[in-house]
Amino acid sequence: MNKTIKIDGVEIPFKEGQTIMDAALAADIYIPHLCHKPGLSPHGSCKLCTVDVNGRAASSCTMPAAEGQEIENDTPALNEVRKTITQMLFIEGNHLCPSCEKTGDCTLQAIGYHLGMLDGHFPQFYPRREVDASHPTLVLDRDRCIMCELCVRASRECDGKNVFAISGRGTKRHLIVNSPTGRLADSDIELDDLAAHICPVGAILIKDHGYEVPIGRRTFDLHSVAETDLDEVILTKARHHDEGDDSGEKEGGVYGV
Amino acid sequence: MTPVKKREAYTVSKVRVATTSLAGCFGCHMSFLDMDERIVGLLEHVEFSRSPINDIKHCEPCDIGLIEGALCNADNVHVLKEFRENCKIVIAVGACAINGGVPAMRNHFTLQECLEEAFLDEIGVDNPHIPNDVEIPLLLSKVHPIHEVVKVDYYLPGCPPSADAFLKILTDLLEGKEPSLPKEMLHYD
Amino acid sequence: MEQNRANLRRVAVDPVTRVEGHGKITLLLDDANHVREARFHIVEFRGFEKFIQGRPYWEVPYFVQRLCGICPVSHHLAAAKAVDQLVGVDELTPTATKLRKLLHFGQTMQSHALHFFHLSSPDLLFGFGSNLEHRNIVGVIEDYPDLALKGVRLRKYGQQVIEVISGKRVHGAATVPGGVNKGLTIAERDRLLGDINDVLAWSQDAVDLNEKIHTEHPENHGFGRLNSNYLSMVGGKGELELYHGGLRASRPDGSKIFDQFDYRGYYNIIREEVRSWSYMKFPYLTELGRDDGWYRVGPLARINSCDFISTPMAESARQRFKAFGNGGYVHDTLAYHWARMIEVLHSAEAIRDLLLDPEILGSDLVVKGEKREEGIGVIEAPRGTLFHHYKVNEDGTIKKANLIVSTTSNNQAMNESVRSVANEYLDGNEITEGLLNHLEVAIRAYDPCLSCATHALGKMPLEVELISADGETVDHIEKASSGAIKRTV
């Protein structure tokens, strides 16, 4: 007999070892998330996926599913908190969507749309962060980094490298590159690495490209972030954008690790 | 060329709307005009106070103030405060008013660096010096969104927001409803 | 004069309205209300040239279009032309070139229509000193609904062309290095073709109206008139060309200063003077020097300078324009409006021709090349010749940027026109709101985009203050909230 949990009153099955997030995604239930990507070890840092489990708050990406859990997910109160978290992510960095080449394909932006975020609410930090354009095929624009560590985990767990890490505390937190000089050019990252394509925002970019997909055909012009199989779409698209594919979707992506 | 109709006196029942562009590109105003013929219908319910499309130079008591652009000089702050004092409802329109937008990219540099680049170091500059006449408003050291200086009642994001979004938020307000933007009209770019 | 400044009465027009951007006019008057100084100031500064440094080059067309929401396409395309060079592409595919041209004609039409119908027509239809509250587009809609709606629809059509090509009416996404990001579908083409005959007819009407306004009002001919030099781009045969060509500069008598000049050497022929009282610089032709080298750009410069227009209806309109000038250059500042509408007509014809060209439906959109360190892109924006110049570091980030936007080139001319109008209409008179609007009418003729000019930033404030020769403020005039004149002494 299947074990089950309840999310917003809907009973769904889970397998032993799955987190609440795993079970929800498998059942096509969307729990907002930024730092989670199926296949990579859970991180629990963005806190967007916080749900109420039997009356207690928990990160669904790290909390194991367990028989009898009654979970609240899509509630006005939780979505309001998620909106506040998203606003904080926006004002802590320099997220100027209008000229960013990731606009339309950016998960942070799409989460903002999903939650109905209209403004940043808090005073802007306008931090001064370094752009690293030293690499022949990649650019690191730290202005847009949200410290989700997807690149850190992708590099370590999938690419078998250890290119990225987060350093510093509080407002001084920033993405660093593991190389003798600290520059991307001197690391062993390559264009084909998953770490080069996994960034949910416009922090890790492919050089000489951008704005190639017309407005109206970008990922989030066509999809809502709440489509639970979207992780796959975004990654396949990112990894194939050098092949003149502007449909946004392509078979046989490298996603899935 | 013969006027077809004499202008009627404005009725008091019309909602008065003022608009201004601070440190912005006027793209939001252009998008407002992109409602095309629909503006004629809107004018049955709305009349304009200060706006770049007429010659009223200062904001007078109004129902709604639409503010495009960020704050980058002392004059912007002055105009913004004038709007807040005179408008019952202030709406921050567009990316620059809401989070500084592209003009806020100058916050990565000092003001001095920006001025030197434009007026001293630029290609082909003659008589290089930084303009300093009393007629020129003082620049702020950083660009700021407007909600950091005055209370903002509603936000209309986009670069620019679409004409449909303008029409939706104004129609809601004219009908006495709490304005809300449908998902398909919500964009930050 | 300089030493007496403190003794003069200051009049300021602040903000200058019904223009795109932020600026103000100040006058200094003596005891007898004689104008001793008249200046048009650009009062904002954004610093694009600095903060673009360090950004990846392929982002540039997307940053810089946000200089200006009225003609974003101009900046998008001028920057894209520079970026093409940065990636080593000197010639795009025929389809990409035609799509970019179509985009540019769409914007020329919408920007010109906006300027005449929404911003300037109230002055020309109601009179420069007419009732302030009525002197705007709302008044035009009330009194001349058919005319106003034609204007609104002309602009709409231009915006629709832009939307089809770039995905949005304002700040869309069309170009990529070496090309464009999408082709035109048959359905899109047919939709645009559906309205083109109306658009052609409205454009012809707009030309006729402006021709009539100008020729039937001799009192307007001398208004802010300047015997100036002109600069514009022309095509290889000397024809009117808005997208790509060589530079031609002429003296007031029409004789050439240079012709078919490769714009990539623009820095050899133009310098920009900084003056303390404006954030907008004062460009001049190096050959003629700082005092004599100023010139005008935009529709008047282009229609004066070109030898012919390649489309028949606009060419016929140009010939009537030429006849008005007895074959020579027309220097009337208010003739800018007429020239502008001739360009609307040309844009309409060119859009039709491009839509009917089978190549516009092609799918070969991008060319690749070998990277270079420097790129210079120039086009004829609605307001005049627009220069974008970028140098990149080895890592693909911008090292240096220089922009000379169209309105900047008209800076000296606008100041000259303000001075001329101030001397003719205000000098010795008691200053009224209607008289002050004359100053703005002169500025408006140039369709200044102060938003661009202050790339830097846009805003055009009007306030006039009179200071007597002994330094006392005799008169201070502002356009008050009601629109009425507020006078404080």
Side-chain angles (χ1 to χ4, degrees), chain A residues 209 212-213 217 240-248 250, chain C residues 368:
Chain A
H209 292 279
E212 286 164 349
V213 182
R217 289 195 232 156
H240 283 88
H241 90 347
D242 203 18
E243 295 169 18
D245 168 35
D246 61 1
S247 70
K250 200 158 188 171
Chain C
K368 302 218 183 273

Side-chain angles (χ1 to χ4, degrees), chain C residues 194-259:
Chain C
D195 293 326
I196 194 69
N197 287 330
D198 284 341
V199 168
L200 282 163
W202 300 331
S203 303
Q204 182 68 59
D205 290 349
V207 173
D208 295 345
L209 172 64
N210 272 273
E211 179 177 340
K212 198 168 150 199
I213 288 174
H214 198 74
T215 52
E216 291 182 1
H217 290 270
E219 70 277 16
N220 288 350
H221 299 170
F223 187 87
R225 187 174 201 268
L226 305 172
N227 285 328
S228 68
N229 304 309
Y230 295 95
L231 175 74
S232 76
M233 193 182 259
V234 289
K237 296 176 191 143
E239 73 274 29
L240 176 70
E241 174 59 52
L242 302 178
Y243 183 72
H244 192 74
L247 295 176
R248 172 180 284 181
S250 336
R251 296 182 190 84
D253 64 2
S255 61
K256 309 280 186 293
I257 301 163
F258 51 76
D259 198 7

Side-chain angles (χ1 to χ4, degrees), chain C residues 72-268:
Chain C
V73 169
S74 310
H75 293 287
H76 191 62
L77 288 177
K81 286 177 78 173
V83 168
D84 294 340
Q85 289 169 37
L86 291 176
V87 298
V89 173
D90 289 316
E91 195 165 349
L92 304 186
T93 67
T95 301
T97 303
K98 285 172 183 175
L99 286 168
R100 284 194 187 181
K101 283 186 171 180
L102 183 58
L103 176 67
H104 191 38
F105 284 121
Q107 97 141 341
T108 304
M109 174 179 288
Q110 73 83 15
S111 173
H112 281 358
L114 170 90
H115 179 258
F116 176 69
F117 292 99
H118 296 70
L119 302 177
S120 277
S121 71
D123 297 321
L124 299 165
L125 296 172
F126 302 140
F128 304 167
S130 61
N131 176 11
L132 177 149
E133 285 201 24
H134 194 53
R135 203 177 57 212
N136 54 55
I137 178 68
V138 178
V140 179
I141 290 172
E142 285 171 357
D143 289 3
Y144 303 99
D146 291 347
L147 176 74
L149 271 179
K150 273 184 203 168
V152 165
R153 289 185 179 131
L154 263 183
R155 173 169 181 276
K156 177 185 181 179
Y157 186 79
Q159 290 288 72
Q160 285 171 334
V161 171
I162 293 172
E163 189 174 10
V164 164
I165 308 282
S166 75
K168 269 168 84 191
R169 284 177 164 211
V170 181
H171 299 326
T175 68
V176 290
V180 294
N181 69 8
K182 105 178 166 58
L184 188 70
T185 65
I186 292 173
E188 287 167 336
R189 182 202 58 184
D190 291 348
R191 189 150 47 87
L192 291 175
L193 272 177
D195 293 326
I196 194 69
N197 287 330
D198 284 341
V199 168
L200 282 163
W202 300 331
S203 303
Q204 182 68 59
D205 290 349
V207 173
D208 295 345
L209 172 64
N210 272 273
E211 179 177 340
K212 198 168 150 199
I213 288 174
H214 198 74
T215 52
E216 291 182 1
H217 290 270
E219 70 277 16
N220 288 350
H221 299 170
F223 187 87
R225 187 174 201 268
L226 305 172
N227 285 328
S228 68
N229 304 309
Y230 295 95
L231 175 74
S232 76
M233 193 182 259
V234 289
K237 296 176 191 143
E239 73 274 29
L240 176 70
E241 174 59 52
L242 302 178
Y243 183 72
H244 192 74
L247 295 176
R248 172 180 284 181
S250 336
R251 296 182 190 84
D253 64 2
S255 61
K256 309 280 186 293
I257 301 163
F258 51 76
D259 198 7
Q260 298 294 350
F261 187 86
D262 182 342
Y263 60 63
R264 286 172 296 182
Y266 81 94
Y267 44 82
N268 292 317

Side-chain angles (χ1 to χ4, degrees), chain B residues 7 21-23 25 34 36-37 52 55-57 75 105 118 121-122 124 126-127 132 135-136 159, chain C residues 10 15 17-18 22 24 63 69 134-135 142 272 274 276 281 284 290 400 402 440 457 459 479 481:
Chain B
R7 191 176 76 94
S21 176
L22 306 175
C25 72
D34 278 338
D36 303 325
E37 302 96 325
D55 292 340
I56 303 173
K57 310 284 183 188
D75 186 55
M105 288 181 61
D121 304 336
E122 202 53 88
D126 180 19
N127 187 24
N132 56 359
E135 296 291 355
I136 295 180
C159 185
Chain C
R10 174 183 177 273
T17 44
R18 285 188 284 127
H22 306 195
K24 70 176 171 185
F63 278 121
H134 194 53
R135 203 177 57 212
E142 285 171 357
E272 293 184 276
V274 180
S276 62
K281 287 178 268 195
Y284 61 87
R290 196 197 270 183
K400 188 92 184 155
N402 186 35
E440 291 180 87
L457 250 207
K459 158 150 179 177
K479 294 205 179 174
S481 49

Side-chain angles (χ1 to χ4, degrees), chain A residues 130-193:
Chain A
E130 295 293 314
V131 171
D132 179 347
S134 62
H135 196 275
T137 53
L138 299 171
V139 184
L140 185 56
D141 184 348
R142 293 184 175 88
D143 275 345
R144 300 155 181 169
C145 178
I146 54 169
M147 327 281 169
C148 67
E149 298 198 29
L150 280 172
C151 58
V152 177
R153 284 172 281 154
S155 181
R156 198 168 52 218
E157 298 172 15
C158 303
D159 303 332
K161 301 176 183 177
N162 195 13
V163 173
F164 296 109
I166 296 289
S167 174
R169 296 254 168 220
T171 54
K172 294 204 169 64
R173 257 175 117 221
H174 64 288
L175 187 65
I176 56 167
V177 174
N178 180 16
S179 73
T181 56
R183 297 188 325 151
L184 209 53
D186 302 316
S187 75
D188 50 2
I189 195 168
E190 289 166 286
L191 183 60
D192 281 341
D193 291 354

Side-chain angles (χ1 to χ4, degrees), chain A residues 60-112:
Chain A
S60 53
C61 71
T62 53
M63 182 80 166
E67 180 69 39
Q69 283 171 338
E70 301 248 351
I71 296 158
E72 286 192 351
N73 167 39
D74 190 14
T75 69
L78 281 169
N79 285 331
E80 195 57 33
V81 174
R82 287 169 183 152
K83 187 166 88 180
T84 304
I85 291 170
T86 310
Q87 286 171 322
M88 292 195 281
L89 285 171
F90 265 90
I91 61 102
E92 280 171 10
N94 295 305
H95 296 283
L96 304 172
C97 296
S99 56
C100 176
E101 62 199 80
K102 200 67 180 272
T103 185
D105 293 318
C106 168
T107 313
L108 178 67
Q109 187 187 57
I111 293 260

